[in-house]
Amino acid sequence: MIEAYFDGASAGNPGPSGAGVFINANGQVERFCIPLPEMSNHEAEFHAFIAALEICLEKGYKTVSFRTDSELVNRAIEKEFVKNKAYAPLFEKALSLTNQFDLFFLKWIPSRENKNADELARKAIQQAK
């Protein structure tokens, strides 16, 4: 099974932001740094998730376990509901993408287990500045 780790980060809240996606495709590692415009950290987390979903779909990965340290994203997808309406468009887009997978899993992990994606997100912030 493919494992995709993602993280969003902002330098300020809001501030220049970035998304990091780290994919382990059966031992083959892929890394993505995605610079984002100025936004909040929570928005960056949703953008990182959407990027991870889109990358996996583009590569034809249809059975994927996604990993995040964002409790907000994890809870929103798990409950299929987002409380803050400001995140609703991002949530809806992410939810629609999850339906395109044959098997989709999302698991919350502690930050220490998401270091690769975090480093990529921070690198993307530097690219965004």
Side-chain angles (χ1 to χ4, degrees):
M1 177 177 297
I2 307 297
E3 292 180 346
Y5 297 78
F6 65 90
D7 198 17
S10 295
N13 203 15
S17 301
V21 179
F22 179 86
I23 298 173
N24 183 345
N26 304 314
Q28 186 135 353
V29 171
E30 301 171 75
R31 294 175 176 86
F32 302 87
C33 289
I34 302 122
L36 299 171
E38 191 169 296
M39 64 182 62
S40 74
N41 189 63
H42 289 315
E43 289 171 305
E45 294 283 6
F46 271 108
H47 279 281
F49 183 36
I50 290 166
L53 292 164
E54 290 175 339
I55 290 166
C56 287
L57 288 169
E58 286 170 13
K59 293 187 166 291
Y61 302 152
K62 300 291 259 176
T63 302
V64 184
S65 178
F66 292 88
R67 313 290 171 89
T68 181
D69 59 11
S70 171
E71 291 182 30
L72 173 71
V73 171
N74 187 63
R75 199 171 328 127
I77 297 300
E78 188 177 274
K79 295 185 178 192
E80 295 189 7
F81 175 78
V82 66
K83 191 174 183 178
N84 186 330
K85 298 301 177 204
Y87 308 135
L90 295 169
F91 164 75
E92 292 295 333
K93 182 171 184 177
L95 198 58
S96 71
L97 290 168
T98 65
N99 293 327
Q100 296 180 40
F101 289 84
D102 295 337
L103 277 174
F104 165 84
F105 301 96
L106 179 62
K107 180 181 179 183
W108 179 86
I109 57 173
S111 296
R112 68 180 177 276
E113 294 178 26
N114 205 24
K115 287 183 181 176
N116 288 319
D118 179 65
E119 287 173 12
L120 293 167
R122 294 186 186 288
K123 184 176 177 183
I125 289 173
Q126 296 307 315
Q127 294 173 359
K129 287 185 176 179

